[in-house]
């Protein structure tokens, strides 16, 4: 059995109903209108492309189940090549692609057929679909001067509006390769590629110390009802996808790729967004695969906008620093997060929570559930670090102090309840988990239920978290410090060296 996730005029996305993380229990074929498709599938999420608008289809799988659906109608199709785009990878096609976007009526589709469209930054508008067909590539210009400066703020009616942001603060940025401000009802679909082309530019060579931050591949500022389906995003100058103060966003069956060595090339970083679904996507990037954020202290104290109602399911996270990360910019809070049926593979850390003194009293992370997860060769599967040494003052006594006379103040973040259930971690190296709460604001509650850890035979020592005065660990168990309540239900260790649980300043430990 399976269910429908999304239908556009020319594409559709479906999800198998099972409990297997990311991969289906067995390989299967898709049958469309009685015709078996040539490719064999092995993942829980599958897509169909090249459909006709306003047409009824019947889809089945060889695993069982049948769905009848109708594609959406559309008002127009605007082909960029028909307007003059060459798609030869040499000509500047910016004018023609942007003209296709600007001239497309509401309910219409901008079509990019096979070819390489070399363009400068593009701006989206409401009410349209952009389809990149198979073998279509939107290729970013490599000259920095062709990415204009965007100011951090503007005033409208005497009120501040944040226009550009970098790492949780208002900050001038180069215009992103694709951007939208205050738009809604946008769909980016297809089997094609959005390629920032940063490997051929100077963006990665000089990532730090810039007065104007590097562009994102896609930046969505105050947008609503946006769907990305099927496309591949790669070679971004910095973060790949950065939704900002946006709502009702859906990311289905995407491939997000950057070299492991590409600096700060996070995969998908929703910041202060509400209701985000990330389903069936694959990540392999040069930093955190998916980082859920809500700004640093100014943004949190001023706008008080949490990352809320995020669902991540049936995703594959590979090769990043962290698979799923909360923070470190979390001053608006993170609430109602559910992660399930995902595979974490060869990341430095699995779940990684990063915060520190100074994030502020609205920096509340609570209601976090990780369930039915498979971790393979993740160095440290679970990390909660409230002493993260980021920012110019990150190595100061203020951040690192363990003085037990410290009291909570307006700069103190709060971590509530975390549930880790039905998680299998194989080939760990450093340790099973590292949980380190603030002395003045311990983590409220951590529950591990049906969680197993096994270790690589040739495991190497590694630092479990980025904070001062931490040693390297190798094949060790759970380190828990400054946590009010720790519950362990059916937690097992295979190959652990030393104590299974190293607990300090934990008020209540329940083992079953």
């Amino acid at each position: 059995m399976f269910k429908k996730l999304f239908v556009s005029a020319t594409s559709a996305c479906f999800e198998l109903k099972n409990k297997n993380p990311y991969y289906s229990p067995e390989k299967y074929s898709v049958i469309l209108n009685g015709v078996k498709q040539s490719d064999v599938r092995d993942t829980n999420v599958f897509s169909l492309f090249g459909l006709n608008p306003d047409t009824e289809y019947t889809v089945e799988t060889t695993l069982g189940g049948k769905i009848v659906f109708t594609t959406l109608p559309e008002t127009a199709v605007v082909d960029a090549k028909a307007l003059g785009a060459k798609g030869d990878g040499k000509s500047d096609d910016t004018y023609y692609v942007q003209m296709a976007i600007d001239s497309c009526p509401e309910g219409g589709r901008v079509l990019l057929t096979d070819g390489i469209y070399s363009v400068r930054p593009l701006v989206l508008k409401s009410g349209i679909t952009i389809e990149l067909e198979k073998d279509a590539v939107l290729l970013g210009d490599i000259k920095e001067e062709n990415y204009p400066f965007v100011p951090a703020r503007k005033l409208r009616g005497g009120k501040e509006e944040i226009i550009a942001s970098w790492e949780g603060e208002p900050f001038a940025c180069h215009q992103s390769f694709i951007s939208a401000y205050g738009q809604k009802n946008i769909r980016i679909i297809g089997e094609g590629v959005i390629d920032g082309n940063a490997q051929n530019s100077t963006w990665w060579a000089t990532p730090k110390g810039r007065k104007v931050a590097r562009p994102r591949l896609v930046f969505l500022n105050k947008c609503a009802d946006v769907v990305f389906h099927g496309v591949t995003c790669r070679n971004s100058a910095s973060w790949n996808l950065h939704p900002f103060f946006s709502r009702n966003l859906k990311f289905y069956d995407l491939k997000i790729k950057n070299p492991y060595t590409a600096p700060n090339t996070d995969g998908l970083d929703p910041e202060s967004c509400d209701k985000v679904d990330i389903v069936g996507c694959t990540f392999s990037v040069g930093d955190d695969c998916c980082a859920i954020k809500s700004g640093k202290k100014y943004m949190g104290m001023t706008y008080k906008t949490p990352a809320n109602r995020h669902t991540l399911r049936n995703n594959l996270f590979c090769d990043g620093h962290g698979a799923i990360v909360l923070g470190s910019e979390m001053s608006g809070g993170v609430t109602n997060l559910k992660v399930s049926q995902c595979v974490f593979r060869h990341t430095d850390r699995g779940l990684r929570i990063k915060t520190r003194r100074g994030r502020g009293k609205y920096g509340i992370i609570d209601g976090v559930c990780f369930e039915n997860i498979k971790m393979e060769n993740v160095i440290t599967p679970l990390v909660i670090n409230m002493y993260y040494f980021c920012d110019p003052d990150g190595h100061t006594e203020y951040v690192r102090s363990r003085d037990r006379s410290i009291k909570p103040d307006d700069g103190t973040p709060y971590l509530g309840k975390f549930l880790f259930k039905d998680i299998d971690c194989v080939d760990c190296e450093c340790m099973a988990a590292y949980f380190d709460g603030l002395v003045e604001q311990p983590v409220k509650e951590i529950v591990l239920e049906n969680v197993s850890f096994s270790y690589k035979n040739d495991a190497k020592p590694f630092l479990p978290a980025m904070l001062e005065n931490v040693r390297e660990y190798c094949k060790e168990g759970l380190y828990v410090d400054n946590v009010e309540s720790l519950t362990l239900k059916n937690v097992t260790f295979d190959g652990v060296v030393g104590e299974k649980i190293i607990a300090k300043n934990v008020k209540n430990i329940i083992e079953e």
Side-chain angles (χ1 to χ4, degrees), residues 387-422:
Y387 299 89
Y388 184 59
F389 56 32
C390 60
D391 303 333
D393 66 341
H395 295 277
T396 62
E397 186 65 18
Y398 171 70
V399 174
R400 67 175 174 246
S401 177
R402 305 276 178 161
D403 185 343
R404 304 205 72 81
S405 67
I406 297 174
K407 302 298 182 184
D409 58 24
D410 279 353
T412 310
Y414 172 87
L415 301 190
K417 181 175 181 178
F418 300 85
L419 172 63
F420 306 106
K421 184 178 180 182
D422 300 329

Side-chain angles (χ1 to χ4, degrees), residues 98 101-102 122-128 130 138 175 177-184 186-188 218-220 223 226 228:
Q98 188 65 61
I101 294 170
D102 294 342
L122 301 172
V123 179
L124 305 180
K125 72 172 188 178
S126 295
I128 66 170
I130 298 178
L138 266 179
Q175 183 178 344
F177 183 43
I178 296 174
S179 60
Y181 182 91
Q183 304 301 301
K184 61 183 180 180
I186 297 170
R187 300 181 182 92
I188 310 293
V218 178
F219 183 56
L220 306 172
C223 293
V226 179
F228 276 70

Side-chain angles (χ1 to χ4, degrees), residues 372-386:
N372 197 7
I373 307 293
K374 176 76 172 181
M375 298 197 199
E376 303 169 351
N377 201 21
V378 174
I379 296 175
T380 305
L382 305 174
V383 175
I384 298 177
N385 173 16
M386 297 189 75

Side-chain angles (χ1 to χ4, degrees), residues 52-273:
N52 295 317
D54 199 14
T55 301
E56 184 178 279
Y57 289 93
T58 299
V59 60
E60 305 169 77
T61 78
T62 52
L63 297 178
K66 177 189 292 187
I67 291 178
V68 178
F69 69 97
T70 301
T71 51
L72 298 181
E74 61 185 14
T75 58
V77 179
V78 183
D79 187 331
K81 284 185 177 176
L83 295 181
K86 299 295 190 295
D88 59 9
K90 300 177 182 178
S91 305
D92 184 352
D93 284 330
T94 308
Y95 174 78
Y96 305 105
V97 176
Q98 188 65 61
M99 182 167 60
I101 294 170
D102 294 342
S103 64
C104 186
E106 185 173 354
R109 174 168 48 106
V110 173
L111 179 63
L112 301 176
T113 59
D114 65 303
I116 301 175
Y117 300 81
S118 182
V119 295
R120 288 171 278 117
L122 301 172
V123 179
L124 305 180
K125 72 172 188 178
S126 295
I128 66 170
T129 296
I130 298 178
E131 180 176 12
L132 291 88
E133 289 189 338
K134 191 174 183 178
D135 299 323
V137 179
L138 266 179
L139 186 67
D141 191 288
I142 63 173
K143 296 179 180 178
E144 290 195 15
E145 60 266 28
N146 286 335
Y147 292 76
F149 293 176
V150 178
R153 301 172 170 89
K154 73 174 183 180
L155 292 177
R156 178 176 294 182
K159 184 179 179 181
E160 173 191 74
E161 289 192 22
I162 306 300
I163 305 301
S165 169
W166 177 241
E167 294 188 338
E169 295 181 311
F171 200 88
C173 297
H174 288 273
Q175 183 178 344
S176 294
F177 183 43
I178 296 174
S179 60
Y181 182 91
Q183 304 301 301
K184 61 183 180 180
N185 296 323
I186 297 170
R187 300 181 182 92
I188 310 293
I189 67 170
E191 298 177 275
V193 177
I194 302 172
D195 190 332
N197 204 17
Q199 76 280 12
N200 294 312
S201 72
T202 55
W203 298 120
W204 293 347
T206 55
K208 300 294 185 181
R210 289 173 172 265
K211 294 182 179 179
V212 179
R214 291 171 290 159
R216 276 22 70 86
L217 190 71
V218 178
F219 183 56
L220 306 172
N221 190 344
K222 299 179 180 67
C223 293
D225 304 312
V226 179
V227 181
F228 276 70
H229 174 217
V231 295
T232 295
C233 300
R234 69 188 186 199
N235 298 321
S236 58
S238 59
W239 300 348
N240 281 266
L241 302 175
H242 183 197
F244 182 76
F245 283 82
S246 296
R247 59 183 173 83
N248 196 22
L249 311 174
K250 301 182 186 302
F251 302 91
Y252 295 136
D253 203 7
L254 303 186
K255 290 82 178 171
I256 301 177
K257 303 177 180 179
N258 274 71
Y260 183 75
T261 55
N264 303 114
T265 52
D266 291 22
L268 173 51
D269 291 5
E271 183 171 359
S272 293
C273 293

